Amino acid sequence: MALPILRNDAARRLFLARHALLGPKAATLPDLLEALGFVQVDSVLTLARAHDMILWSRRPTYRPADLQSLVRARAAFEHWTHDASVLPIAAWPHWRHRFQRDRARMDRRWDNWQGPDFRAHLDRTLRHIADNGGTLSGDLIDGPRGEPGWWNWHPGKVALEYLWRVGELSVSHRQGFQKVYDLTERVIPEAHRASTPALDETIDWAANAALDRLGFATPGEIAAFWDLLTPQEAQQWAKDALSRGEIEEIQMEGADGKLRRSFARPGTLDEASAIPEPGDRLRLLSPFDPALRDRARAERLFGFFYRIEIYVPAPKRTYGYYVFPVLEGTRLVARTEVIAQNGTLTLRALWPEAGVRWGKLRTQRLMSELERVARLAGATRIDLAPNWLRQPVAS
């Protein structure tokens, strides 16, 4: 029997709706964080930091201090998914298995990497924090870093990161953009620390939570969502959930018309077909937006190829240092380089996607979006670089 087909236009509407980019706004910031599952924390600041841009794109009243307020109120915690992220505090008990796996993996490497004093340094770091409270990595600098490079952390930073990754320390908040580490029992509420789900409970929670946020997914995409499950665990969960009738197999149509076997909840195709077409507002999205984080999925779904060019030498860049995808309705229609400095927001360049005609109406909608994002960035003036509108880049 042929599998039902989720057509591309409906798949895009469903995926964006599940990522809170269509439809009604979340009532509160905790509601929005729960809907997304997590937001990636990133240090790059040309316009707004990734986590702030992600939340502002969905909640126009959001301001950069709001996320740290959630963390300080112990309504959210910071740890690792595919990268450093802020998550709802209710997810913390399921990270116990991440702590155990990270400890086993890191113990195989870090002793050799750091040498014979490593374990003693962990003990000294824990004693320091127990006695002194929240600690920045700069508080523990106690020796030369060696050769320059991000991998050459000083011993205090190494100890803090190890103890954070294995759950003995937690990030109580950030000071500027620096993590403040403290004992986990002083950061994570006791009710969450008392919860100890079994591995099969965590697998079931993580797989269900991922699928509900993705709308449709392969086992690999389910595993990668939190980076909490192995591909084998996600595959077995899908097999079991399918046998129980909790999910069904479908074919998802990509932007190129190719079909990809995926899993979805029963009734998902009807839900997707009922989602109305959105308006034509233009939105600047963070390169680390949850809707774009999985680059391969975004390319299949939207026909949008994107790579960060931060580490590409300037003469070899196709676009720019840090370029924002531009969403119009359910289509990614352009990418743009915008910076904010000294109270001025500057549109340096915009490249329409192939086949997208950039006329006066789109320019007007772009200016409206730049006025909105200027408020987030604290800019009071908008400048347009000469020749900001570029030709589409040939694929």
Side-chain angles (χ1 to χ4, degrees):
M1 182 171 134
L3 296 176
I5 297 174
L6 178 61
R7 295 298 178 189
N8 184 251
D9 58 345
R12 285 186 277 114
R13 289 197 305 273
L14 176 68
F15 183 62
L16 292 172
R18 293 291 179 93
H19 281 77
L21 285 167
L22 302 179
K25 306 299 182 188
T28 66
L29 183 58
D31 289 340
L32 176 56
L33 186 60
E34 174 64 28
L36 295 175
F38 63 88
V39 290
Q40 181 173 337
V41 178
D42 191 76
S43 62
V44 177
L45 180 57
T46 61
L47 178 62
R49 297 199 195 274
H51 43 286
D52 295 326
M53 193 83 175
I54 291 165
L55 295 169
W56 170 83
S57 295
R58 295 152 170 86
R59 188 172 177 80
T61 58
Y62 173 84
R63 291 299 176 264
D66 296 348
L67 185 60
Q68 279 303 303
S69 295
L70 280 190
V71 174
R72 287 178 178 272
R74 307 305 180 233
F77 74 103
E78 183 173 335
H79 213 270
W80 212 256
T81 55
H82 63 289
D83 211 317
S85 300
V86 172
L87 306 98
I89 195 67
W92 188 88
H94 296 292
W95 256 248
R96 289 183 179 279
H97 299 288
R98 178 68 176 259
F99 301 153
Q100 293 169 5
R101 287 175 173 175
D102 279 358
R103 185 187 294 271
R105 178 179 56 80
M106 294 162 74
D107 283 351
R108 291 193 295 268
R109 298 176 53 244
W110 285 41
D111 283 326
N112 291 333
W113 175 32
Q114 291 298 308
D117 294 335
F118 177 51
R119 295 292 157 180
H121 204 81
L122 295 179
D123 292 339
R124 289 196 298 271
T125 300
L126 282 171
R127 285 197 302 272
H128 173 90
I129 293 176
D131 293 342
N132 296 282
T135 297
L136 298 160
S137 67
D139 297 333
L140 300 180
I141 294 177
D142 54 2
R145 294 171 183 255
E147 295 300 319
W150 66 266
W151 58 90
N152 286 306
W153 291 336
H154 61 77
K157 174 65 171 175
V158 171
L160 290 170
E161 285 293 306
Y162 174 92
L163 292 166
W164 174 56
R165 292 291 293 268
V166 305
E168 294 188 48
L169 297 180
S170 292
V171 175
S172 67
H173 62 285
R174 285 191 179 239
Q175 186 173 301
F177 198 71
Q178 297 182 72
K179 294 195 285 282
V180 178
Y181 303 83
D182 206 342
L183 300 179
T184 290
E185 58 261 34
R186 296 201 290 231
V187 176
I188 304 301
E190 193 279 333
H192 299 292
R193 288 186 285 109
S195 178
T196 56
L199 178 58
D200 60 348
E201 293 177 277
T202 289
I203 292 171
D204 192 58
W205 172 84
N208 278 298
L211 182 60
D212 287 341
R213 286 162 177 80
L214 292 169
F216 51 90
T218 66
E221 290 168 338
I222 289 170
F225 183 84
W226 307 102
D227 198 22
L228 193 61
L229 307 181
T230 67
Q232 294 77 18
E233 288 167 344
Q235 185 73 50
Q236 185 62 52
W237 173 85
K239 179 180 178 181
D240 295 342
L242 186 63
S243 69
R244 295 191 297 265
E246 297 170 1
I247 61 176
E248 65 179 5
E249 284 190 283
I250 65 166
Q251 296 271 34
M252 189 280 290
E253 182 183 43
D256 59 1
K258 293 180 180 178
L259 300 180
R260 181 178 177 84
R261 189 172 293 227
S262 299
F263 293 103
R265 301 286 186 200
T268 294
L269 270 67
D270 290 338
E271 176 192 346
S273 65
I275 298 172
E277 287 290 341
D280 55 8
R281 172 188 166 178
L282 295 179
R283 297 175 185 265
L284 269 63
L285 298 182
S286 164
F288 299 109
D289 195 282
L292 303 171
R293 178 189 62 80
D294 185 335
R295 306 290 191 218
R297 181 180 172 99
E299 188 171 358
R300 284 192 297 271
L301 191 58
F302 298 102
F304 187 80
F305 177 85
Y306 185 91
R307 294 293 181 270
I308 290 282
E309 295 187 288
I310 289 174
Y311 303 109
V312 177
K316 296 183 178 180
R317 289 177 189 146
T318 303
Y319 298 102
Y321 174 79
Y322 196 78
V323 171
F324 297 90
V326 180
L327 179 70
E328 180 185 63
T330 64
R331 298 174 61 205
L332 290 161
V333 296
R335 58 196 85 199
T336 185
E337 186 173 25
V338 180
I339 64 167
Q341 290 180 326
N342 303 319
T344 298
L345 183 148
T346 303
L347 172 61
R348 286 184 168 180
L350 181 138
W351 298 264
E353 289 294 283
V356 173
R357 182 180 177 277
W358 203 272
K360 290 183 179 179
L361 288 178
R362 280 198 169 105
T363 297
Q364 290 171 4
R365 295 198 293 270
L366 175 65
M367 294 305 115
S368 296
E369 178 71 350
L370 294 182
E371 289 173 4
R372 288 186 286 265
V373 78
R375 292 192 288 272
L376 173 69
T380 57
R381 174 181 171 181
I382 298 175
D383 280 352
L384 307 183
N387 303 315
W388 61 267
L389 183 56
R390 309 292 179 82
Q391 293 297 313
V393 174
S395 57

